Amino acid sequence: MKQDNNHTLIGPFKQLVTMAGLPQAGPIVDEELEVLENAGVLVYDGHIVLLGRYDQLLNIAQEKGYSLQKVAEPMVLLPGLIDAHTHICFAGSRANDYAMRVAGKTYLEIARSGGGILDSVRKTREASLVELVELLRKRCDRHLTEGVTTCEVKSGYGLTTEEELKMLEAIQLVNNHHALELIPTCLAAHMRPPEHTDSRLYLQEVVTQLLPQIKEQGLANRVDIFIEDTAFNEEDSLEYLNAAREMGFEITVHADQFSTGGSRIAAEAGAVSADHLEASAAAEIALMREASVVATVLPGASLGLGMHYAPARKMLDGGLCLAIATDWNPGSAPMGDLLMQAALLGAAEKLTSAETLAGITVRAAKALNLSDRGTIEKGRLADLIAFPTDNYREILYQQGKLKPTKVWKRGIEV
Ligand code: NIG
Ligand code: FE
């Protein structure tokens, strides 16, 4: 029999949690989770071509001469995790800010006194492209070993045309050589840069100078803005987002972190997602549902700032599609552990295991408008992670301390 090394059968897995067939939005009960026992996955050209009972797949594989990747210990297989919101392209540390914050100063006070985001802007501008690539690459290494196979990364610490392009180039360079797949987002509208006195004029400059270059060089398809008292107001933001959308960018918004208003703009601008939402209540939830905006909550920012979580339970009960992301950044969310943060949010907000796991897989894919991943299904990317346990419930029960020991990106074990 001719050997076919292009097809590979991976398994057996004690449990295979497909995350397939779940409702796109609203509550999910655990009984809706599809859990296959003693299962395997057949992979070809980076995609899943077949899944099911391992012994049956093994017969096919042996008949056709497919290669086998045997899993010796009992393991649980999940789709690769998706972190739909990060700022991991940055230089410097804000450990001093953090110490001030836990000693009682607020995030906004530190920002107003010249610390905060602008401190990271200074250090990121000072870093060379090569230094930035190296820093980002190391953070990607860590994320990948912790089971994240797709990760959104924002610019936003450059705040000039040249420096924002440098950040997006760093993201592209790492993306070209790393198994962790990066989804770049332009966050030039993170804050008004110190060189500008007029926020509106700065945003117009971004629209006329930076965004066309990003399009031309294919550096990002997504545009984000931080709507808040200390950042951009609602009116300027809507004008900016409408212009970006008309240029063909997908829209996402930092919304309702401390005060409401951003989620309304996200809905009006046709955003794919609104992120943060710690301050959102029933009215905001209703607006997001009507406009089919994915709610991406960021428990890492709540943990980093010592503030309450976004009302995730109310969002699900209000019919929203809930994604959970780390917001990994040097200021408000330095931890960057997606699984741990999702587990902690789930415990505090009373989310079902299915809701929490969907928030970091299939619903996180929706937050990034990606339909080729987030579930283990025929035709999807073979982004897979395996945990050394025989019961999927151990994963959230151990609150992030149980890590995957095997990770596949597009069918290749990394
Ligand atoms: O999502 N809220 C605004 N931006 C980031 C924080 C970035 C920073 O503090 O450096 C956030 O929390
Ligand atoms: Fe953020």
Side-chain angles (χ1 to χ4, degrees), residues 85 87 94 107 117 157 190 226 254 257 276 327 329-332:
H85 181 136
H87 307 248
R94 303 234 298 276
Y107 186 56
I117 294 171
Y157 295 121
H190 199 181
F226 183 20
H254 276 73
Q257 184 180 12
H276 268 296
D327 196 22
N329 73 65
S332 60

Side-chain angles (χ1 to χ4, degrees), residues 188-207:
H190 199 181
M191 283 210 111
R192 174 175 55 76
E195 301 79 18
H196 281 256
T197 48
D198 188 322
S199 296
R200 193 154 172 268
L201 289 180
Y202 170 65
L203 292 177
Q204 284 172 356
E205 188 182 297
V206 174
V207 169

